[in-house]
Amino acid sequence: HGLAQLVPIGLACIYSLPMSSSRMTPDVLLEVCREHGGYEIPALNDQLYLHFRGFARIENLDAFVNLKALWLESNGLQKLENLDALTKLRCLYVQQNLISRIENIRSLKSLIILDISQNRIAKLENIACLPCLETLNASKNTLSDAESIFELAGCKSLVTADLSHNQLDGDDILEAIAAAPALTSFKITGNPVMSTSQFRKKMICRMPRLVYVDRPVFEAERLAAEAWGQGGAEAELKARVDFKESKRLEAQEEQRQFREWKAAKIAERINSQETNGASKTSMVAPPVPVPESEGSSGREVNVSKLAHGFWASNATREAENSPRPNADGSLDVASFRASSYTPEPCGHEELNGGLPLPPPPQTSSHSATKGHSEGSALPVASESDRQLADSTDFNELD
């Protein structure tokens, strides 16, 4: 846009800014589409970024019939115009311009968001004809009284409004805002009306549906404000105490329910484990009898009976052989000697089905040595071999 030219006049200085000659021509619009990854065919674009371009007028947008969002902030626009073709537009951003009136937007029946902040708007008008409008940002304008925001009463779908940093003042401001039928959230900070005594409490009492007034409105604050509106400060204090007590009782009830639920789950798990254990026990197969061998009587080997008999005899033997004190109360050294032990028969016949075991095989008088199989006899030397061994001098062999 050119650099500012500094012109000194005595001790004062003024800035002379040349007017921008940028126009919203078809070629410029095509270049903008290319720059932001759009399409060269205007009807295929659903977004158009025309912010910070220095445009003085809105023009040549008739071909963009499918636009959903249009950014026009921070230009030199003085008027809303030439928007009739944008019937599918949902978001219009025209903040930070020089607009003084809201006009020529009746065709925007699909508009949901309108940002007209930081302009020169002195009165809200022509927005009640927008059936889908849900969000309005009119902050930092020149709205001054209840009449300037009277149009809010006709906005049936308006949910959120930002009226902060205007010049709104007067006792009827509250009624003008409360007239919006669907409004649940708004900002009004930075206006002279905020100096009104108990303004926030009055707004909450007047609009029970509010969830945000410059900050969130929580349940405790709502109950206190409603009590204040009915009975003053004492009723407000009582409402706060009752709310805290109700929350405490609610927490206790939740803890009790949790303990009951936990106990029920533990009992359910125990019953499930017992049921599973019983089913597993019933599914255990009966013991398989040992197959009969040749010469056996068909009786099963009772191994557990043999083991119990062995350990019982050991326990009795240890009790009998334990050292005992003499008449003087001392223990003799001889009492610690290991007594001779003769093993008792452990019922080997039962291992053979009740029949006596066969006798062990006979071996020679010489014990088996390493390298020979168990049970085999060593060869016996003859008399001539012994005489030869006696007459041999083993030193000469070395």
Side-chain angles (χ1 to χ4, degrees), residues 122-125 143-152 168-169 172-173 176:
K123 182 180 180 180
L124 298 181
E125 52 188 341
L143 304 175
S144 58
D145 52 20
E147 184 180 357
S148 64
I149 61 174
F150 180 77
E151 188 79 3
L152 295 177
L168 294 174
D169 196 8
D172 49 356
I173 293 293

Tab-separated table of all heavy atoms in Angstrom, residues 122-125 143-152 168-169 172-173 176:
chain	number	residue	atom	x	y	z
A	122	ALA	N	-23.535	1.198	15.040
A	122	ALA	CA	-24.214	1.894	16.131
A	122	ALA	C	-25.532	1.236	16.493
A	122	ALA	O	-26.104	1.549	17.546
A	122	ALA	CB	-24.463	3.359	15.753
A	123	LYS	N	-25.991	0.313	15.644
A	123	LYS	CA	-27.274	-0.346	15.923
A	123	LYS	C	-27.309	-1.702	15.227
A	123	LYS	O	-26.891	-1.813	14.066
A	123	LYS	CB	-28.431	0.529	15.425
A	123	LYS	CG	-29.810	-0.048	15.711
A	123	LYS	CD	-30.897	0.877	15.185
A	123	LYS	CE	-32.282	0.320	15.470
A	123	LYS	NZ	-33.354	1.220	14.956
A	124	LEU	N	-27.816	-2.721	15.932
A	124	LEU	CA	-28.008	-4.038	15.335
A	124	LEU	C	-29.306	-4.030	14.538
A	124	LEU	O	-30.379	-3.736	15.073
A	124	LEU	CB	-28.064	-5.113	16.429
A	124	LEU	CG	-26.805	-5.276	17.297
A	124	LEU	CD1	-27.013	-6.374	18.311
A	124	LEU	CD2	-25.573	-5.556	16.435
A	125	GLU	N	-29.211	-4.335	13.264
A	125	GLU	CA	-30.389	-4.361	12.405
A	125	GLU	C	-30.202	-5.393	11.297
A	125	GLU	O	-29.081	-5.814	10.992
A	125	GLU	CB	-30.626	-2.977	11.796
A	125	GLU	CG	-29.413	-2.386	11.114
A	125	GLU	CD	-29.628	-0.944	10.701
A	125	GLU	OE1	-30.802	-0.523	10.622
A	125	GLU	OE2	-28.635	-0.240	10.434
A	143	LEU	N	-22.368	0.497	19.998
A	143	LEU	CA	-23.691	0.246	20.577
A	143	LEU	C	-23.778	0.947	21.924
A	143	LEU	O	-22.857	0.842	22.750
A	143	LEU	CB	-23.905	-1.261	20.738
A	143	LEU	CG	-23.743	-2.107	19.466
A	143	LEU	CD1	-23.861	-3.584	19.788
A	143	LEU	CD2	-24.779	-1.695	18.424
A	144	SER	N	-24.909	1.638	22.159
A	144	SER	CA	-24.958	2.506	23.338
A	144	SER	C	-26.144	2.259	24.266
A	144	SER	O	-26.033	2.467	25.479
A	144	SER	CB	-24.966	3.979	22.914
A	144	SER	OG	-26.075	4.227	22.065
A	145	ASP	N	-27.296	1.855	23.762
A	145	ASP	CA	-28.482	1.752	24.617
A	145	ASP	C	-29.292	0.511	24.252
A	145	ASP	O	-28.917	-0.273	23.373
A	145	ASP	CB	-29.332	3.023	24.506
A	145	ASP	CG	-29.651	3.384	23.066
A	145	ASP	OD1	-29.560	2.481	22.194
A	145	ASP	OD2	-29.992	4.544	22.793
A	146	ALA	N	-30.441	0.353	24.929
A	146	ALA	CA	-31.289	-0.817	24.702
A	146	ALA	C	-31.865	-0.821	23.290
A	146	ALA	O	-32.056	-1.884	22.688
A	146	ALA	CB	-32.405	-0.849	25.741
A	147	GLU	N	-32.143	0.338	22.750
A	147	GLU	CA	-32.693	0.393	21.397
A	147	GLU	C	-31.695	-0.113	20.365
A	147	GLU	O	-32.085	-0.703	19.345
A	147	GLU	CB	-33.106	1.837	21.073
A	147	GLU	CG	-33.790	1.975	19.718
A	147	GLU	CD	-34.180	3.415	19.420
A	147	GLU	OE1	-33.967	4.276	20.304
A	147	GLU	OE2	-34.703	3.671	18.315
A	148	SER	N	-30.419	0.085	20.605
A	148	SER	CA	-29.400	-0.350	19.640
A	148	SER	C	-29.266	-1.870	19.579
A	148	SER	O	-28.713	-2.393	18.605
A	148	SER	CB	-28.053	0.291	19.991
A	148	SER	OG	-27.609	-0.170	21.259
A	149	ILE	N	-29.748	-2.573	20.588
A	149	ILE	CA	-29.668	-4.036	20.579
A	149	ILE	C	-31.066	-4.665	20.593
A	149	ILE	O	-31.206	-5.855	20.889
A	149	ILE	CB	-28.838	-4.549	21.780
A	149	ILE	CG1	-29.478	-4.128	23.093
A	149	ILE	CG2	-27.403	-4.074	21.682
A	149	ILE	CD1	-28.789	-4.723	24.322
A	150	PHE	N	-32.072	-3.884	20.284
A	150	PHE	CA	-33.454	-4.390	20.308
A	150	PHE	C	-33.655	-5.526	19.306
A	150	PHE	O	-34.517	-6.389	19.476
A	150	PHE	CB	-34.428	-3.234	20.008
A	150	PHE	CG	-35.860	-3.660	20.010
A	150	PHE	CD1	-36.540	-3.878	21.201
A	150	PHE	CD2	-36.537	-3.860	18.798
A	150	PHE	CE1	-37.877	-4.277	21.194
A	150	PHE	CE2	-37.866	-4.254	18.787
A	150	PHE	CZ	-38.529	-4.471	19.990
A	151	GLU	N	-32.864	-5.546	18.242
A	151	GLU	CA	-32.994	-6.570	17.193
A	151	GLU	C	-32.752	-7.981	17.730
A	151	GLU	O	-33.178	-8.960	17.125
A	151	GLU	CB	-32.012	-6.254	16.066
A	151	GLU	CG	-32.156	-7.110	14.833
A	151	GLU	CD	-33.301	-6.659	13.939
A	151	GLU	OE1	-33.945	-5.642	14.267
A	151	GLU	OE2	-33.549	-7.308	12.900
A	152	LEU	N	-32.093	-8.132	18.881
A	152	LEU	CA	-31.813	-9.459	19.441
A	152	LEU	C	-33.093	-10.233	19.731
A	152	LEU	O	-33.101	-11.465	19.685
A	152	LEU	CB	-30.983	-9.319	20.729
A	152	LEU	CG	-29.568	-8.752	20.581
A	152	LEU	CD1	-28.921	-8.604	21.959
A	152	LEU	CD2	-28.721	-9.636	19.682
A	168	LEU	N	-22.754	0.317	26.059
A	168	LEU	CA	-24.091	-0.038	26.560
A	168	LEU	C	-24.259	0.410	28.001
A	168	LEU	O	-23.420	0.112	28.864
A	168	LEU	CB	-24.287	-1.561	26.452
A	168	LEU	CG	-24.337	-2.126	25.028
A	168	LEU	CD1	-24.379	-3.637	25.060
A	168	LEU	CD2	-25.534	-1.554	24.272
A	169	ASP	N	-25.389	1.105	28.256
A	169	ASP	CA	-25.674	1.599	29.604
A	169	ASP	C	-27.176	1.813	29.736
A	169	ASP	O	-27.884	2.055	28.745
A	169	ASP	CB	-24.913	2.912	29.859
A	169	ASP	CG	-24.857	3.264	31.331
A	169	ASP	OD1	-25.276	2.403	32.148
A	169	ASP	OD2	-24.410	4.369	31.663
A	172	ASP	N	-32.537	-0.636	31.238
A	172	ASP	CA	-33.298	-1.488	30.327
A	172	ASP	C	-32.407	-2.387	29.459
A	172	ASP	O	-32.899	-3.146	28.624
A	172	ASP	CB	-34.191	-0.641	29.424
A	172	ASP	CG	-33.421	0.506	28.772
A	172	ASP	OD1	-32.220	0.671	29.086
A	172	ASP	OD2	-34.025	1.229	27.952
A	173	ILE	N	-31.093	-2.322	29.645
A	173	ILE	CA	-30.184	-3.193	28.886
A	173	ILE	C	-30.452	-4.655	29.229
A	173	ILE	O	-30.469	-5.529	28.358
A	173	ILE	CB	-28.717	-2.819	29.170
A	173	ILE	CG1	-28.398	-1.425	28.602
A	173	ILE	CG2	-27.768	-3.857	28.594
A	173	ILE	CD1	-28.439	-1.352	27.101
A	176	ALA	N	-33.453	-5.943	27.433
A	176	ALA	CA	-33.206	-6.079	25.995
A	176	ALA	C	-32.416	-7.356	25.686
A	176	ALA	O	-32.672	-8.042	24.685
A	176	ALA	CB	-32.468	-4.848	25.481
